[in-house]
Amino acid sequence: SGTGRALLELTPGISAYGHPELSFFNQPDLELALREALGRAPGVELRPGHDVLGVNPRASAVEVTALDRAGGRRVRLDAAVVLGCDGARSTVRSAIGARLRGLSSPRRWLVLDTHREGDQPGCFEFGCDPARPWVHGTLPGGRHRWEFLLAPEESAAELERPAAVARLLEQRGHAGAEVLRAAVYAHHARVAERLVRGRVMLLGDAAHLSPPFAGQGLSAGLRDAMAAGWRAAGVARGRFDPEVLAGYGTERRPDAVRATALAVAVGAVVQTGDTRLAAARDLGLRAMLGLPGVESWVKGGGWRPSGGLPRKALRRASGRSRRPGEGRPLPQPVVGTADGRALPLDDALGPGFALIGLDVDPRAVLDAGAIEELGRLEATVVTVVAGTASAAGTAPPAGSTLPAGSTPPAGPLRDHQGHLREWLGTSPTRSLLLVRPDRLVLAVLAPNEAGPAFTRLRTSLLRPRSRP
Ligand SMILES: Cc1cc2nc3c(=O)[nH]c(=O)nc-3n(C[C@H](O)[C@H](O)[C@H](O)COP(=O)(O)OP(=O)(O)OC[C@H]3O[C@@H](n4cnc5c(N)ncnc54)[C@H](O)[C@@H]3O)c2cc1C
């Protein structure tokens, strides 16, 4: 608060998905790592230094024209699918005629990147000081990110000056730090009115722009990539009906709208500049956190967008109401393999569709028709049994990751602490979990329901000529 009192403290831990609930990193480091990984992936040819000029959707392909900056010549490509990840000023978005809907805030923030040798990542702070709201986080490598709200009468040029920057840092006990970047930004809360047209999809900032307060800009983009990747791969391989791509927009747009609304709400709390309003906010927040269950809900992250499937999409796919676990991301406990290794569950499932039998071997309870359908879906079939308690939890052990393309381990997987069963918390008769490649649980089924559910999924995905 403006008086320096902590209004709320959150202590993020390891999430049910096997990863830290909060991660700080320098975005260019992540981008470099992704680019290097892409360069090593089989069948990938990277062509840096090309500017996409136009995207022209056709019936059975998309024509892309680009400028090769080094050679100064135009190139033309026919693409089975185009993923428009070209940022806030997206050429692809304009090409498919998708306008951004929403608002741009008149408030401006000075964003400072600084460096102080030896500083370790620590807590992320929102300074709700009505005199000058600020945000601070320490990243790896001694880097700091600071954000300071500009008063309406202050100019960007005035606050970006080294003397003004030094004064702000000194006020926050950060005098003498090396300043790497100082730039003023306005925030946008906008989502494209459509994310898909034919074989063209929009991802990341091309699809949605969010104020940074909830850390959702990049995160929502990563969720887009999870939802788009398997669909695009299936269409590019000629297995999936291109209509499948439309489902990406239906699923991802509501999540992007929710993530953006959350960031706007957090921003409204942080950037209150009126002293009386700020005092009322502080009182209100304390009172709200005192209500039964509210503080634990906030600390448990119940307010975060889950990236799950909308109820409507689930109902359309299954013809019934949602069961517990359906449409949610699958938790990722560390599981023990029959040959004594410990693996994060995702690694054991492999990259495609998966059917998990909880305390039951799916092959022993499914009929021949259902097993044949699983084969057509190229699904991995595993059994997960709740084992005796051990040290295994949700944090992946170091060096446990299976190399991409490895065969899933043979034999049942042991969920030592029964995380999956506890999470599902449902009747033991519905013990089959049908999981999508992006690790969202599509259906929780009893054995006699499985065959028809697999057939529905297959007919909704596969092109007629891939069907038997
Ligand atoms: C100050 C600030 C703070 C932020 N803080 C956070 C945070 O704490 N947490 C968080 O999750 N997010 C944060 N974000 C948001 C995050 O940086 C973006 O959401 C993220 O970079 C979007 O990634 P993207 O790949 O969609 O777009 P970009 O990162 O914009 O990448 C687009 C790429 O497309 C390329 N490109 C553009 N046009 C063309 C073309 N015609 N042809 C070929 N290539 C093209 C560009 O060169 C670029 O490489 C912040 C953003 C800002 C500005």
Side-chain angles (χ1 to χ4, degrees):
S1 72
T3 55
R5 197 172 149 193
L7 291 171
L8 172 66
E9 286 182 54
L10 302 176
T11 315
I14 297 290
S15 77
Y17 308 115
H19 299 286
E21 283 177 312
L22 195 61
S23 302
F24 295 120
F25 52 85
N26 182 32
Q27 196 176 323
D29 295 342
L30 173 76
E31 288 172 3
L32 191 65
L34 289 175
R35 217 172 265 258
E36 281 173 3
L38 201 56
R40 285 194 305 271
V44 172
E45 183 194 334
L46 281 177
R47 294 196 194 173
H50 284 66
D51 286 334
V52 170
L53 303 174
V55 169
N56 187 11
R58 300 234 166 106
S60 59
V62 187
E63 185 189 72
V64 179
T65 45
L67 178 71
D68 173 358
R69 270 186 263 133
R73 57 186 187 95
R74 279 177 182 237
V75 290
R76 206 186 67 86
L77 296 166
D78 279 330
V81 181
V82 168
L83 305 183
C85 320
D86 52 346
R89 295 169 201 270
S90 172
T91 304
V92 179
R93 188 179 64 229
S94 308
I96 65 166
R99 274 170 307 175
L100 286 175
R101 296 249 179 247
L103 296 170
S104 291
S105 167
R107 314 239 178 139
R108 295 157 306 148
W109 285 77
L110 172 69
V111 176
L112 300 178
D113 285 338
T114 65
H115 176 256
R116 209 164 57 175
E117 198 55 45
D119 286 0
Q120 297 298 322
C123 80
F124 194 81
E125 304 164 280
F126 289 101
C128 304
D129 180 357
R132 169 130 22 226
W134 54 272
V135 182
H136 169 242
T138 315
L139 312 180
R143 291 177 74 106
H144 292 253
R145 162 65 58 86
W146 294 92
E147 296 174 24
F148 296 95
L149 183 67
L150 271 70
E153 67 281 5
E154 283 173 323
S155 78
E158 197 182 314
L159 237 72
E160 283 168 1
R161 277 210 313 267
V165 166
R167 210 168 33 248
L168 286 170
L169 291 175
E170 192 183 341
Q171 283 164 5
R172 300 255 50 88
H174 200 66
E178 179 191 2
V179 178
L180 305 172
R181 187 172 73 125
V184 169
Y185 289 88
H187 293 152
H188 307 283
R190 293 168 170 250
V191 179
E193 58 194 357
R194 60 199 289 180
L195 304 192
V196 181
R197 183 168 161 210
R199 291 165 175 263
V200 182
M201 291 186 271
L202 299 176
L203 288 80
D205 279 18
H208 39 73
L209 295 167
S210 153
F213 301 111
Q216 285 297 314
L218 181 67
S219 311
L222 294 174
R223 292 200 290 275
D224 293 344
M226 288 296 287
W230 64 274
R231 290 178 162 98
V235 172
R237 282 174 63 201
R239 284 191 77 231
F240 288 2
D241 190 325
E243 287 294 315
V244 166
L245 303 179
Y248 165 78
T250 320
E251 282 174 28
R252 288 300 309 144
R253 198 175 181 282
D255 186 69
V257 169
R258 269 196 302 276
T260 306
L262 171 69
V264 170
V266 175
V269 171
V270 175
Q271 52 190 348
T272 306
D274 179 286
T275 320
R276 274 174 306 180
L277 252 183
R281 170 203 60 200
D282 297 354
L283 272 176
L285 260 179
R286 279 192 206 108
M288 201 178 78
L289 291 168
L291 294 175
V294 173
E295 189 162 353
S296 59
W297 177 78
V298 172
K299 291 190 169 173
W303 45 274
R304 269 190 232 125
S306 71
L309 298 176
R311 273 172 197 268
K312 262 196 217 158
L314 275 172
R315 183 181 274 281
R316 247 199 321 275
S318 68
R320 55 170 168 74
S321 54
R322 192 177 77 87
R323 291 175 179 163
E326 288 182 336
R328 319 293 301 168
L330 180 74
Q332 183 177 217
V334 171
V335 290
T337 63
D339 60 4
R341 287 173 298 154
L343 292 174
L345 179 60
D346 282 359
D347 284 13
L349 295 184
F353 280 92
L355 183 73
I356 300 176
L358 277 186
D359 297 316
V360 64
D361 176 0
R363 294 189 189 279
V365 294
L366 292 178
D367 59 34
I371 290 178
E372 224 171 277
E373 288 287 23
L374 280 175
R376 291 183 192 121
L377 289 166
E378 299 180 352
T380 302
V381 181
V382 299
T383 304
V384 175
V385 292
T388 48
S390 84
T394 50
S400 64
T401 308
L402 275 187
S406 307
T407 325
L413 302 167
R414 201 157 281 275
D415 177 9
H416 293 282
Q417 291 167 341
H419 286 294
L420 274 189
R421 174 62 75 191
E422 188 190 325
W423 171 77
L424 199 57
T426 186
S427 86
T429 52
R430 292 194 193 125
S431 285
L432 299 176
L433 272 66
L434 181 58
V435 183
R436 290 199 329 196
D438 53 10
R439 298 293 163 253
L440 292 179
V441 177
L442 199 54
V444 178
L445 302 162
N448 64 338
E449 299 168 320
F454 301 161
T455 305
R456 258 197 314 274
L457 175 62
R458 173 179 57 78
T459 49
S460 71
L461 288 179
L462 301 194
R463 290 175 81 104
R465 65 182 168 77
S466 302
R467 296 177 195 160

